[in-house]
Each structure stands twice: as structure tokens, then as C-alpha cells.
Amino acid sequence: MDVTTVFRGGAPAEHGTVATRILEGPLGSMRAAAVREGICFLDFEDPGNAERIGRDIAATFGIPSEGMDNIHLATLAGELDSYFAGKLRGFSLPLVVSGTPFQEKVWNALVRIPYGETRTYADIAAAIGNPAGCRAVGNANGRNRIVILIPCHRVVAAGGGLGGYGGGLRRKRFLLDIERMRD
């Protein structure tokens, strides 16, 4: 599965509205968003960052968003429940991103990391043909706006340490642990 670019160069009006929904799970609340073509956003909604997330969605996609459901969000809710229960190892949803060509290369490399495995930033840099680009890979990894489905949590530091994670190291450890326990 590869990510799909729909929003490069601005969002045409034919994409309509970005549907959003709050999903609850073992790691807290998550804000999910989707357009007709697929899931375009999934991130942790911690206290105090809900407004930032709303601005991020508006700035990224340039089209209105509203709390409503669509088929992709309904499917996502069920798949996340199954993932957290250890019954799902891969997601079926189409992913729609808005990023630079370099970021998209990184995100496509991330979706190829098998369930229960990790890669280093250097591994990802080599996989996309830029072996000296570890720092740039880390930056692109940090700009991922579809957490868990684009599994940025599977990227670790060269020495095996967790490295960073926008959702916090507690969540990264949790995600890696549930994947390892269900191999």
C-alpha cells in the first residue's frame, strides 16, 4: 500500500469537506479526518492541542472541516479497535497525504515496515536512496499526520533506543509493545 497525493498545490473544491471524528482508545482521544478519497489525518488529541489540530487540518487541506462521519472514518474506528485488541496487523484504508515529494518517499517507506518490526532512521534513508539523509528522514517522520496507519512509531534510533515520537514516548512504547506481543 502506498500513500496517495491528492492535495499537492492546494485543495481543489471537488474534494468537498474534510469529515472529522474523535475516536477513543487505550492511548486517549484521537482526531481522525477523511475526504472522499480516504483517511487524511489521524493524531492524538491531548488536552490543549485540539485547537492546534483543527488549525493544522484547515491549513493542510484548505477546505472546510466539520464533525461528521464518512465511510472511511467508520471503517477506521473498527480497524483501530481490532488493531488495539491484537486482531489486526494491517490497515485496509486508502491514505491521502499532503507533503513534499521527499516526505511522501519517507511515508511510503514507513508503510512498508512490517508489523512488529522496526527500522532506524538510517534504514529509511537508505531505502529511499538518500543514505546521508537521516536527519531529513526524522523531520519527515515528525510531519506524518496519519499516525499508526503510517507507522512512524516503528522508526527507532540507531542504538535501538526509542528516538522521538510526536505522541510521546509512552505511546510509542505502547504501540511497539502491542505489536511485539502479538507476533
Side-chain angles (χ1 to χ4, degrees):
M1 167 177 69
D2 284 345
V3 297
T4 302
T5 304
V6 173
F7 293 98
R8 183 164 291 132
E14 71 263 15
H15 296 295
T17 301
V18 177
T20 63
R21 179 176 178 184
I22 301 296
L23 304 172
E24 298 296 335
L27 295 172
S29 298
M30 300 184 81
R31 172 87 59 102
V35 291
R36 181 181 62 237
E37 296 85 358
I39 298 294
C40 60
F41 189 90
L42 179 64
D43 203 355
F44 300 103
E45 189 165 87
D46 292 323
N49 76 354
E51 188 174 304
R52 178 197 54 81
I53 287 177
R55 285 192 313 266
D56 192 17
I57 291 171
T60 300
F61 301 106
I63 55 179
S65 67
E66 57 185 84
M68 56 188 237
D69 221 344
N70 79 7
I71 188 67
H72 300 301
L73 293 177
T75 302
L76 175 62
E79 287 193 3
L80 280 174
D81 286 345
S82 293
Y83 170 81
F84 287 126
K87 298 176 183 173
L88 182 73
R89 292 174 180 247
F91 295 91
S92 68
L93 295 154
L95 306 178
V96 178
V97 300
S98 176
T100 67
F102 180 82
Q103 289 168 337
E104 291 172 22
K105 279 184 183 180
V106 171
W107 299 333
N108 277 311
L110 297 180
V111 297
R112 291 186 183 95
I113 301 172
Y115 178 95
E117 295 184 21
T118 59
R119 300 290 184 271
T120 66
Y121 296 98
D123 292 336
I124 300 300
I128 64 169
N130 187 355
C134 294
R135 186 175 304 270
V137 165
N139 288 333
N141 203 37
R143 296 210 184 276
N144 172 24
R145 294 294 173 249
I146 309 177
V147 300
I148 302 175
L149 282 69
I150 299 177
C152 54
H153 63 278
R154 294 180 187 154
V155 182
V156 297
L162 288 180
Y165 189 63
L169 293 181
R170 172 187 66 84
R171 287 182 173 131
K172 183 172 186 169
R173 189 174 297 109
F174 179 91
L175 294 169
L176 292 173
D177 285 349
I178 64 168
E179 290 185 7
R180 288 181 182 137
M181 289 189 311
R182 295 189 169 83
D183 279 345

